[in-house]
Amino acid sequence: MTTTKTDGRTARLERNRAEIVRAQVEHAQETGKLPTVDEIAERANVSQRSVFRIFGDKASLLREASEYVYRQLDERFPFPELAGLAMHERITRMVDHFASIYEFITPMRRVLATSEIDPEFVSEERERVSVRYQARIRDAFSDLDLLGDPSPVRLRTFRLIASWNAWEYLRTEGKLSVEDAKEVICQAITAVLQSATSTELPVAATALVDGDNEHRRGHSETQEGDWT
């Protein structure tokens, strides 16, 4: 009987914990601000006392909320299959993927930036995600040998262009729509990868890039040239 009661309390505690984290994340995503304890408790359908008892302080709750958001990336946004596709299609699908992720995490990123949470924790969390996506980017273009140069400069440039910081700049400072921001990033990534064609490339890579040039030539003529 005691075991049953204990198991029931444990299950209820875990359920409340999950609801509190969800409430924190949903509020941040909807408003771009940290919720008060009252707002968390009301949304999670728990008492304020439960919020403090489970997490102790706001920093602990915010850390767990951040971890929850980053765990959601693989579940909600699986990395697309890109192998064998034409260059333009690979870039377009990958940028679509990153745009979806960035729109999802941006509210929490902004909240973390203005919070008192340990900056080392935030940095470590993002670095884990960054390393994982760097490997996926390499894999996505491995058959073309465009990111395999001895110097990591091209890959670093690629990462910068495709980063959340670049996305945030385009969306906030540049005031671009999602579609316009994606187009800018697609063109920038294309330029970085095409710079690899100045050296000798496998025949397959050259054919894909050349074919993509023909595709984008007709497309780019319809775009405005002023990006300032």
Side-chain angles (χ1 to χ4, degrees):
M1 190 68 172
T2 301
T3 301
T4 301
K5 288 184 178 180
T6 301
D7 289 345
R9 284 197 297 269
T10 299
R12 184 168 60 252
L13 178 65
E14 290 304 312
R15 184 167 57 250
N16 287 345
R17 185 183 194 92
E19 286 300 306
I20 291 168
V21 170
R22 180 189 59 78
Q24 168 88 301
V25 170
E26 287 183 354
H27 187 281
Q29 289 176 324
E30 291 171 7
T31 68
K33 300 176 182 178
L34 280 174
T36 64
V37 174
D38 284 348
E39 290 168 330
I40 292 173
E42 181 178 359
R43 185 182 287 255
N45 197 28
V46 299
S47 67
Q48 293 184 38
R49 182 179 178 183
S50 293
V51 176
F52 286 117
R53 185 174 66 249
I54 292 173
F55 285 98
D57 55 55
K58 290 183 178 180
S60 298
L61 172 54
L62 194 53
R63 280 195 296 271
E64 189 152 335
S66 174
E67 291 172 346
Y68 170 83
V69 168
Y70 282 106
R71 284 198 307 271
Q72 289 278 295
L73 297 185
D74 280 337
E75 296 175 15
R76 298 184 61 161
F77 309 102
F79 198 81
E81 291 292 334
L82 303 176
L85 298 177
M87 177 73 73
H88 171 70
E89 188 66 19
R90 295 189 203 199
I91 294 172
T92 299
R93 290 193 183 187
M94 185 176 61
V95 173
D96 283 343
H97 173 72
F98 285 134
S100 296
I101 286 176
Y102 294 154
E103 289 295 294
F104 176 73
I105 69 172
T106 287
M108 184 58 69
R109 286 287 300 256
R110 291 173 178 169
V111 163
L112 289 172
T114 59
S115 72
E116 298 178 358
I117 193 171
D118 181 4
E120 185 174 344
F121 164 81
V122 176
S123 177
E124 290 175 354
E125 187 81 1
R126 292 173 185 167
E127 181 61 23
R128 284 196 295 271
V129 176
S130 177
V131 168
R132 187 164 71 247
Y133 278 100
Q134 180 175 323
R136 289 173 175 174
I137 289 170
R138 282 184 179 275
D139 290 343
F141 297 94
S142 61
D143 60 316
L144 304 182
D145 196 27
L146 299 179
L147 297 173
D149 53 331
S151 168
V153 171
R154 189 176 295 118
L155 181 59
R156 287 174 177 169
T157 305
F158 190 116
R159 285 182 60 188
L160 174 62
I161 294 168
S163 70
W164 176 84
N165 291 318
W167 182 260
E168 175 73 345
Y169 176 82
L170 291 173
R171 296 280 283 128
T172 304
E173 298 296 325
K175 302 186 185 305
L176 297 184
S177 66
V178 169
E179 291 305 314
D180 285 345
K182 288 196 295 187
E183 179 64 20
V184 171
I185 293 175
C186 281
Q187 292 198 25
I189 289 175
T190 298
V192 170
L193 295 182
Q194 286 179 337
S195 70
T197 63
S198 61
T199 59
E200 187 175 348
L201 285 176
V203 173
T206 304
L208 278 173
V209 173
D210 288 345
D212 185 60
N213 284 340
E214 292 300 320
H215 174 89
R216 293 192 64 82
R217 189 173 296 121
H219 176 71
S220 63
E221 289 174 357
T222 67
Q223 304 299 310
E224 296 181 3
D226 185 7
W227 294 98
T228 59

